[in-house]
Amino acid sequence: MKRSHVNDIIAESDAFMKSFGFTLPPFAYWSPEQLKVRVRSDSPTIFDARLGWDITDYGKGRFDQLGLVLFTLRNGNAANLTTGQGMVYAEKLMITAKDQVNPLHRHAVKTEDIINRGGGALVLQMYNSKPDGSVDEESDVVVATDARLRTLKAGDLLKLKAGESVTLLPGNWHAFWAEGADVLMGEVSTVNDDLTDNYFREPVGRFSAIEEDASPTHLLVSDYDTWLK
């Protein structure tokens, strides 16, 4: 992805979030220079927990058809999960555009609630996992939607209207997209680790390669190892 395109997506995404009454924390608007100073002084968690902007085209170069906007608001670490103390949770805001597919994947550790915060319908295609972790295309999927248990046939589509949510457990394969209009999504989960806990059915890259055709307005979490050290 070109950096100029990423800059435009961030600006458009911030406006879209605000249109639904969501204002991001101050660090969302820090310049790369400000972020570098603050991470080294009073805000190291931004780097350690990978908080902030995350724009991905899954390495395919077709963001409008295959991509996602994410902003990680808060996140603990794996050590918290082993003790049950401290920050054992994470929260994100995400935007999936109309007909922009997010590929089939599962998590081995993370449990997550996916919430339609506003816009069109959020559509999820779901499967269970086989014992070896691969996609089970036969068994029914039982999921909780706002605490209501629902049974879906393997590969069936679950449609969530604004305000509705689904709880995804480790091993629940899921792909999702917006129908009718772009969707603002919320994610509330156990500790999130995008480096090791994403398993895709088809080979994709979790983070995008960036072509530096412009200066970054704001850094992506995938920039941190390069820009903040």
Side-chain angles (χ1 to χ4, degrees):
M1 297 183 71
K2 290 186 176 182
R3 181 69 72 175
S4 58
H5 189 200
V6 170
N7 289 343
D8 290 342
I9 291 169
I10 289 176
E12 293 163 2
S13 299
D14 182 52
F16 186 72
M17 292 173 182
K18 286 178 177 174
S19 74
F20 291 97
F22 287 89
T23 301
L24 295 174
F27 68 82
Y29 307 105
W30 290 347
S31 69
E33 294 75 19
Q34 289 175 308
L35 188 60
K36 190 169 186 177
V37 170
R38 298 297 292 270
V39 162
R40 291 178 175 179
S41 58
D42 61 0
S43 305
T45 301
I46 295 173
F47 179 89
D48 295 338
R50 294 300 198 261
L51 307 182
W53 291 103
D54 181 1
I55 313 296
T56 183
D57 64 359
Y58 297 101
K60 298 298 185 181
R62 296 181 287 110
F63 177 77
D64 290 343
Q65 292 81 42
L66 188 73
L68 186 64
V69 174
L70 310 93
F71 190 93
T72 302
L73 295 154
R74 63 200 90 247
N75 192 21
N77 59 64
N80 298 137
L81 292 177
T82 63
T83 64
Q85 297 179 328
M87 186 180 284
V88 295
Y89 54 87
E91 182 186 7
K92 295 180 181 181
L93 275 178
M94 301 180 288
I95 299 170
T96 183
K98 179 184 175 183
D99 301 323
Q100 181 189 49
V101 175
N102 295 269
L104 193 68
H105 66 287
R106 66 174 174 84
H107 309 292
V109 176
K110 183 170 71 170
T111 296
E112 56 186 341
D113 274 20
I114 301 296
I115 309 115
N116 184 337
R117 295 291 191 190
L122 178 61
V123 184
L124 296 95
Q125 183 179 39
M126 298 188 60
Y127 299 90
N128 290 321
S129 291
K130 293 180 179 179
D132 65 359
S134 61
V135 178
D136 181 347
E137 299 193 36
E138 301 295 332
S139 66
D140 291 350
V141 182
V142 179
V143 293
T145 56
D146 300 299
R148 171 195 169 199
L149 291 179
R150 299 178 62 177
T151 300
L152 309 174
K153 296 294 184 182
D156 272 2
L157 302 183
L158 174 67
K159 295 189 179 184
L160 301 177
K161 297 182 292 185
E164 295 182 327
S165 68
V166 61
T167 300
L168 303 176
L169 301 177
N172 283 148
W173 285 95
H174 54 287
F176 58 86
W177 56 90
E179 185 176 88
D182 298 353
V183 172
L184 179 63
M185 302 167 57
E187 178 183 306
V188 178
S189 73
T190 50
V191 171
N192 176 79
D193 184 351
D194 281 321
L195 297 176
T196 65
D197 195 27
N198 285 292
Y199 299 85
F200 293 93
R201 184 176 194 178
E202 304 297 335
V204 296
R206 172 57 183 84
F207 300 103
S208 300
I210 303 298
E211 178 185 339
E212 302 293 352
D213 68 325
S215 298
T217 306
H218 307 292
L219 294 182
L220 305 177
V221 295
S222 55
D223 293 321
Y224 289 176
D225 286 336
T226 300
W227 289 75
L228 298 183
K229 286 190 174 180

